[in-house]
């Protein structure tokens, strides 16, 4: 961007931030994560736990013991409010909660659909402040901003030319983990001259092949993470537009493309993508965040092997580069917000026995080490946690008899597998509970880069990570569902909000 455009860009961010401050926004919490990390479930569970916290306490339930304002009895009430940005879709909390609980029919419960666009939800917390000059009744307004992590990975494109992005993308696609499913697209690209006349049909063909490659890389079997441009995988209303009809070409850096050439056409659309898709997202939403949680489906990467784990590490590092991390002050809060608390959360901890939770945290801490060091250098608070926003399993001991020699029991998890899940050759219908030994994560987190995999006792089946149905909801005395069971959701809330609720 030019100096003038940089100045105008920052001015608009400052204007939006000042408007937030004047209208009384207390805190903007960003929730993101790469595909299938559980963003929708996390927000739904967070909101439902807060809305039902006081009712649960009356019924003898303390679902959030580490969230101090609740544990100390200072959280009086939580309620939803109309969101401040009328042009942004509202997070469909009620629909997602109905999906998780089954609504009127518990047998219809299912996981809600994944995040495919940005959405917002405003929540106010009424609480007793116990510190400072403002002791007594107080209110904190929280604007939750939900957005796909794939969009976040687009932000580094703002500093890259079309030629640089093309070169980096083609180099990445030649790696052993990507080459097999990149072959069709790479072959087509090699056969095309960048100097050829511009052609809508050719641009569309290459864009479709490129998108197919990105989708294959994201599939469960590979679970790769660094796949910008993010809107190619989640096009929404942009599907079929010229801004999404481009692809990398074999071009040299700092090359001036002839007018009317295929390369000039691709470059023009790449720049349009940055100008009309990436920049508005950064200016209108991302640059205004105060706190951020990044949800990480580390188990899928572990299932897919060392290549996927290394790719996830790269993605997490690039994600933090995009953050305006640092220590917040009065002026920065008004004119240039900084993200002063960042939480990396390994989701689906309920797919493991609790004895592996610390190991899962250690693996995520290793994957985010470079990102954490960078954020802490500028004064941000960063933490790592293994959690399950909605706990779909319980733990049990399973006898295995002679299969395990002297050890007669395994630490297992028990839950209802999703319909169609296969375990040891058996397909399940989503109705009955099953006890599963999920495997043990390695004690040395560096083992995930070597492909050591999960530690499974000799003779035991390696089921890896089975997907389960949501739990059957429990009802309070008023007939409404109690807070959904979770693992360390309270720890996440305390890190993200606790200091603002003292």
């Amino acid at each position: 961007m030019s100096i003038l455009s940089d100045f105008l860009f920052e001015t608009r961010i400052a204007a939006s931030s000042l408007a937030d401050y004047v209208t009384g926004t207390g805190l903007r919490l960003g929730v993101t994560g790469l595909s299938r990390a559980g963003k929708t479930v996390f927000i739904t569970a967070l909101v439902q736990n807060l809305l039902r916290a006081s009712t649960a306490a009356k019924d003898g339930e303390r679902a959030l013991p580490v969230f101090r304002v609740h544990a100390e009895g200072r959280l009086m009430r939580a309620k939803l409010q109309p969101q401040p940005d009328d042009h942004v879709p509202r997070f469909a909390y009620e629909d997602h909660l109905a999906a998780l609980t089954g609504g009127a029919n518990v047998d219809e419960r299912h996981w809600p659909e994944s995040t495919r666009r940005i959405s917002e939800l405003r929540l106010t917390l009424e609480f007793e402040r116990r510190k400072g000059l403002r002791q007594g009744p107080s209110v904190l307004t929280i604007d939750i901003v939900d957005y796909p992590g794939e969009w976040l990975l687009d932000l580094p494109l703002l500093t890259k030319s079309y030629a640089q992005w093309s070169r980096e993308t083609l180099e990445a696609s030649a790696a052993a983990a990507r080459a097999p499913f990149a072959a069709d697209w790479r072959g087509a690209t090699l056969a095309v001259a960048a100097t050829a006349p511009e052609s809508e049909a050719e641009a569309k063909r290459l864009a479709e092949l490129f998108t197919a490659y990105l989708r294959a890389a994201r599939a469960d079997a590979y679970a790769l993470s660094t796949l910008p441009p993010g809107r190619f995988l989640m096009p929404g209303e942009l599907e079929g537009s010229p801004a999404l009809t481009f692809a990398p070409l074999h071009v040299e850096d700092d090359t001036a493309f002839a007018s009317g050439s295929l390369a000039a056409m691709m470059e023009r659309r790449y720049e349009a993508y940055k100008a009309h898709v990436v920049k508005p997202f950064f200016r209108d939403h991302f640059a205004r965040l105060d706190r951020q949680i990044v949800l990480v489906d580390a188990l899928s990467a572990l299932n897919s092997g060392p290549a996927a784990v290394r790719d996830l590490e790269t993605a997490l590092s690039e994600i933090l580069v995009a953050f305006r991390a640092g220590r917040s002050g009065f002026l920065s809060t008004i004119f240039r917000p900084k993200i002063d608390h960042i939480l990396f959360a390994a989701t689906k901890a309920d797919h493991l026995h609790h004895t592996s939770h610390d190991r899962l945290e250690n693996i995520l801490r290793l994957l985010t080490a470079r990102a954490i060091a960078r954020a802490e250098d500028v004064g941000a608070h960063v933490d790592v946690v293994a959690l399950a926003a909605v706990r779909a399993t319980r733990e049990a001991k399973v006898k295995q008899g002679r299969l395990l020699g002297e050890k007669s029991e395994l630490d297992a998890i028990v839950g209802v597998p999703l319909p169609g899940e296969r375990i040891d050759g058996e397909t399940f219908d989503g109705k009955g509970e099953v006890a599963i030994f999920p495997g043990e994560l390695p004690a040395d987190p560096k083992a995930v880069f070597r492909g050591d995999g999960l530690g499974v006792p000799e003779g035991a089946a390696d089921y890896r990570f089975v997907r389960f149905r949501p739990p059957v909801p429990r009802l309070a005395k008023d007939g409404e569902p109690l807070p959904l069971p979770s693992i360390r959701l309270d720890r996440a809330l305390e890190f993200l909000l606790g200091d603002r609720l003292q």
Side-chain angles (χ1 to χ4, degrees):
M1 291 186 288
S2 67
I3 295 176
L4 178 59
S5 62
D6 276 349
F7 175 76
L8 293 174
F9 193 60
E10 293 293 337
T11 300
R12 292 186 66 179
I13 292 173
S16 296
S17 301
L18 180 59
D20 285 345
Y21 184 82
V22 170
T23 56
T25 296
L27 184 148
R28 287 178 69 84
L29 171 64
V31 181
T32 194
L34 300 176
S35 182
R36 298 183 294 271
K39 298 178 290 296
T40 302
V41 172
F42 174 83
I43 296 174
T44 303
L46 179 153
V47 172
Q48 194 242 7
N49 268 269
L50 292 176
L51 291 178
R52 300 291 296 170
S54 57
T55 300
K58 293 176 183 177
D59 285 357
E61 297 280 342
R62 287 287 181 184
L64 304 171
V66 178
F67 190 38
R68 293 175 62 182
V69 68
H70 174 53
E72 295 169 358
R74 294 188 293 111
L75 181 59
M76 302 293 99
R77 186 169 67 143
K79 58 182 179 180
L80 293 174
Q81 303 281 10
Q83 67 188 75
D85 298 316
D86 293 333
H87 63 286
V88 179
R90 180 181 182 273
F91 181 82
Y93 164 73
E94 294 81 4
D95 293 342
H96 298 322
L97 180 62
L100 285 168
T101 61
N105 185 354
V106 69
D107 291 333
E108 297 297 324
R109 68 191 190 280
H110 61 275
W111 300 109
E113 292 185 3
S114 301
T115 298
R116 295 187 177 275
R117 61 181 183 179
I118 196 164
S119 63
E120 286 185 354
L121 194 68
R122 172 167 281 193
L123 182 71
T124 58
L125 302 183
E126 299 175 6
F127 67 103
E128 286 287 331
R129 191 178 295 280
R130 66 175 188 176
K131 290 186 178 181
L133 299 176
R134 297 181 294 166
Q135 293 186 32
S138 190
V139 176
L140 176 66
T141 300
I142 305 166
D143 287 329
I144 302 172
V145 183
D146 173 34
Y147 64 95
E150 286 79 2
W151 296 10
L152 192 59
L153 290 173
D154 279 351
L155 294 183
L157 299 181
L158 292 175
T159 61
K160 296 179 181 180
S161 67
Y162 171 71
Q164 181 185 355
W165 170 71
S166 290
R167 174 174 50 78
E168 292 178 357
T169 302
L170 285 162
E171 288 175 355
S173 69
R178 298 178 181 235
F181 44 87
D184 289 346
W185 162 64
R186 285 177 58 85
T189 303
L190 286 170
V192 172
T195 56
E198 64 180 19
S199 166
E200 185 65 44
E202 189 70 344
K204 183 178 179 181
R205 183 177 76 92
L206 292 174
E208 288 175 349
L209 289 169
F210 179 55
T211 303
Y213 150 66
L214 296 178
R215 286 175 177 157
R218 190 183 63 173
D220 287 340
Y222 302 102
L224 299 179
S225 303
T226 50
L227 302 167
R231 298 295 181 95
F232 277 56
L233 294 173
M234 295 183 174
E237 72 280 2
L238 295 173
E239 187 167 8
S241 71
L244 296 189
T245 311
F246 65 92
L249 292 175
H250 283 277
V251 293
E252 298 295 330
D253 288 356
D254 303 321
T255 300
F257 306 122
S259 178
S261 67
L262 182 62
M265 180 186 195
M266 295 290 198
E267 181 185 43
R268 185 175 65 252
R269 292 182 174 185
Y270 171 79
E271 294 298 333
Y273 180 83
K274 293 197 300 182
H276 301 297
V277 177
V278 184
K279 285 183 183 178
F281 164 65
F282 179 75
R283 179 191 64 233
D284 298 336
H285 306 290
F286 182 73
R288 296 161 57 197
L289 298 177
D290 303 299
R291 304 280 166 94
Q292 177 70 57
I293 180 169
V294 181
L295 304 174
V296 183
D297 184 7
L299 298 186
S300 290
L302 294 175
N303 258 348
S304 298
V309 173
R310 285 190 290 270
D311 199 68
L312 178 59
E313 180 187 33
T314 300
L316 293 173
S317 296
E318 291 186 358
I319 281 173
L320 198 59
V321 168
F323 289 152
R324 290 189 171 199
R327 185 179 292 107
S328 287
F330 177 73
L331 290 179
S332 67
T333 299
I334 297 177
F335 295 109
R336 198 175 190 273
K338 292 183 178 179
I339 299 176
D340 58 2
H341 283 60
I342 303 170
L343 182 63
F344 290 98
T347 57
K348 306 175 185 178
D350 58 330
H351 289 42
L352 294 166
H353 192 269
H354 76 268
T355 52
S356 278
H357 289 181
D358 286 347
R359 296 182 177 188
L360 180 59
E361 281 192 14
N362 290 337
I363 290 170
L364 183 57
R365 194 174 298 277
L366 176 65
L367 296 180
T368 57
R370 289 180 295 175
I372 289 175
R374 189 181 300 114
E376 290 178 338
D377 282 346
V378 293
H381 299 281
V382 190
D383 200 4
V384 170
V385 64
L387 61 76
V390 174
R391 182 172 189 166
T393 66
R394 55 186 175 84
E395 296 184 351
K397 295 283 188 180
V398 177
K399 294 183 178 180
Q400 292 291 319
R402 293 190 301 272
L403 288 178
L404 297 176
E406 295 181 359
K407 187 174 181 180
S408 60
E409 291 183 329
L410 281 176
D411 292 323
I413 56 175
V414 180
V416 180
L418 286 176
E421 285 289 288
R422 293 178 60 82
I423 305 173
D424 198 23
E426 183 178 358
T427 302
F428 291 86
D429 59 7
K431 295 182 179 179
E433 282 192 333
V434 178
I436 295 169
F437 173 70
E440 296 173 352
L441 295 180
D444 177 10
K446 295 180 180 178
V448 298
F449 293 110
R450 301 193 298 265
D452 296 15
L454 303 177
V456 182
E458 184 179 355
D462 178 7
Y463 296 128
R464 295 295 177 102
F465 307 118
V466 177
R467 298 176 299 168
F468 296 93
R469 293 189 66 186
V472 175
R474 297 175 302 135
L475 300 181
K477 293 177 182 177
D478 61 3
E480 293 295 319
L482 283 167
L484 293 161
S486 62
I487 298 175
R488 299 186 190 88
L489 178 63
D490 52 347
R491 181 173 146 188
L493 284 168
E494 179 62 24
F495 178 81
L496 293 169
L497 307 176
D499 64 313
R500 302 290 292 270
L501 298 167
Q502 295 298 324

